[in-house]
Structures are given as C-alpha cells and as structure tokens.
Amino acid sequence: MKKSWWIASTAGAAALVVAVVLVVRELSGPTNGTAPDPAPSSSEAAAPDRRSVLAVKIDNVAAARPQTGLSAADLVYVEPVEGGLTRLLALYQGRPPAVIGPVRSARATDLGLLAQFGRPALAYSGAAPELLPSLRSASLTSASPTEIPDAYFRDDSRPSPHNLYLRPQQVPDGEVAPQDAFPAAGAAPGSGTATATAAIRYPAAAFTFTWSPDIGRYLIGLDGSPLTSVDGGKAGAATIVEQRVAVRLGERGETGTVPNSPIAQTVGTGKATMWRDGQRFAGSWSRATATAPTRFTTTSGQPLPVSDGPLWILLVPA
C-alpha cells in the first residue's frame, strides 16, 4: 500500500525537525558588518537586459508575503517542501526586476528542474550540507551569498529568515538556455472546457486561480488571500499547470538530498491539467531525460501549448 509522504506521522515529525534546522541555518545572512540596505522599492531601476535564465528560490509562507519581483517572472514552479508547505522557483529570462525576494534555500527538486534549462544562474540563500556537493557539480552558476555576498541585503522591517533580498544585476549570467527549454506557446486546442476558477491544494497551502477576461490573466490567491507582489500588485498568470509527480523523501546519507525533504520527480511521465484562456484542458506531461524539456499533450496525444505570458507550474504529489 502506498503511503502519502505528508500523512506519515514519523516522517512528518522528522520533517518538522529538518525545517527547524534549515531555518536556523538561514538565520545568518550576509551582513558584512554594515547596516542592511533599505526595503525593496518599485522605483528602483531595472537590471540590464539578459538572455540567459536566472532562477531564484523565493519564500512564500505568510511571513514572506508580499514578495518582490514575483510578477516579473516568466515561469514560476511551486514545489512541495517540509511540513506540507511550498516554495517557489522563479525563472527570469530577458530583463529581471531590480530586486527579488525573499530568497530562501535550495532543494534537490531545484536541481532536477533546472537541468532542462542548460546552465542557468541559481540564486538561493544556502543549502543543507547534504545538498552542497550536488550543487557544486550541477550544470548551473551558483549565486548564493557565499559566492556573491554583495548581491544580497536584508530588510530590517521583516523577520529573519524571511528578509533576504537579491539584486539580480550583480549575478553573473549563466549560459543561454536551449531554444526549446521553455514550454511551447501557441493557440489553444479545441478540447477545452470553459472553467473560470481552479483550486490546487497542498497539505499546508491552498492556491486558487480566477480567470479575469479583462486582463487575460488568472489572478492568484494563496491561503484565502490575493497573492501580491510589492512591485507588481496582484500576481497573475496567463497559464496554470497542475503537474502530478511522484514525490519521495530524501534519506540520510544519500548524496545530494536533505533527509526527510520531499523530492519531486520531474523526469518521466504523468498526468497534467492546464488552465488557459478561461478553459481547462486535461492531459499529460513527459520529459525523457534530465536535460530534455518538459512537454504537455492532450489526452488524445496532441500538443498542448501554453499561452503567451507568465506560466505557473505546480508540482503536486500524485
């Protein structure tokens, strides 16, 4: 009998312990003996254009909201983490905002996802010791405070560890992503069902998406409140994808994992549901290898393209 990772009492207790340990690890940020920079402002100049992918691990618990720079992301992954909560992996291509955050720690799921984008830059606040060897050997440009401390600052108006912010213009560019790395955009197939809202739940996080025909976006809600961005107002997406994935827990002594931290398996195949243009599409996802792109198809096997605009992909335990 399959056991759900979030209802196993022993795993849940261990996950809470790991979560506490990870928070303690993140409490020490780059201070350099000076006062932190002022709180992020929407009036700051945007960073220069960039062609490579910048990935930023963003916190999204209540204490981290509203985030900064979230509305400017081209692609946002929602990942399951300890305690039934979620964190965001936001990808920026082209011109990132001047400030992004709050930034939090990396997970093994990030490495699996980012392998399909060539050699991106990954901004994160730190990682558990078990994951560091995999981060060093991964095909990415590591951009944590250890490598570029001057790119980060803390906002004293927020509690730590939910107050670490990134200035992306100081992050070295990664390599340009493969041309087909991002899901293909195009016209919607004719198999959709008119649906104005969608709800996707995790054990300790509840997302809602409401179609707004006036702006051509789904307005995003989290835990009963609108999800907003300091510099962009209400967060919205042109396309929402619920990607059902196998999730396992990292085991102690296993290279590249954090004990009892959920790891989403994003190589393989599985069920998917897409919402775009006020319609719902049932389908599936597939990804042949770690470096191959993820593709979405309808239940009949036809390509299921995304709409132009921000894309949110929620990795939900199957």
Side-chain angles (χ1 to χ4, degrees), residues 192-290:
T193 301
T195 307
T197 61
I200 300 175
R201 296 187 63 88
Y202 294 84
F207 288 84
T208 58
F209 304 91
T210 304
W211 175 248
S212 174
D214 292 338
I215 62 173
R217 295 286 187 270
Y218 290 88
L219 297 177
I220 303 171
L222 178 56
D223 298 334
S225 299
L227 187 65
T228 61
S229 184
V230 169
D231 54 341
K234 292 182 179 180
T239 307
I240 307 297
V241 176
E242 180 186 40
Q243 182 177 340
R244 289 282 177 171
V245 296
V247 175
R248 66 183 182 87
L249 298 180
E251 298 178 4
R252 188 170 298 280
E254 185 180 6
T255 302
T257 66
V258 181
N260 297 310
S261 178
I263 305 172
Q265 307 299 297
T266 57
V267 174
T269 61
K271 294 182 178 180
T273 304
M274 180 182 293
W275 291 264
R276 54 164 295 180
D277 308 315
Q279 299 182 82
R280 177 184 181 275
F281 299 86
S284 62
W285 66 271
S286 63
R287 185 176 168 208
T289 65

Side-chain angles (χ1 to χ4, degrees), residues 39-160:
S41 168
S42 60
S43 63
E44 295 184 82
D49 286 339
R50 62 193 303 156
R51 297 171 56 210
S52 56
V53 173
L54 167 65
V56 185
K57 198 62 181 288
I58 299 179
D59 198 357
N60 70 326
V61 297
R65 304 175 211 150
Q67 295 96 335
T68 297
L70 185 58
S71 294
D74 297 291
L75 169 58
V76 176
Y77 284 103
V78 180
E79 304 175 5
V81 294
E82 301 80 13
L85 296 167
T86 63
R87 284 190 186 171
L88 310 178
L89 180 65
L91 275 59
Y92 302 83
Q93 191 176 36
R95 189 178 180 88
V99 176
I100 303 172
V103 180
R104 291 300 297 269
S105 59
R107 294 290 187 275
T109 297
D110 304 325
L111 303 185
L113 287 170
L114 293 177
Q116 64 192 307
F117 296 98
R119 189 178 180 86
L122 173 61
Y124 60 101
S125 64
E130 296 86 353
L131 187 59
L132 291 177
S134 294
L135 279 167
R136 296 189 189 103
S137 62
S139 178
L140 55 82
T141 298
S142 182
S144 75
T146 299
E147 288 86 16
I148 47 172
D150 291 342
Y152 292 85
F153 67 92
R154 289 197 180 271
D155 176 6
D156 279 345
S157 69
R158 293 190 175 213
S160 182

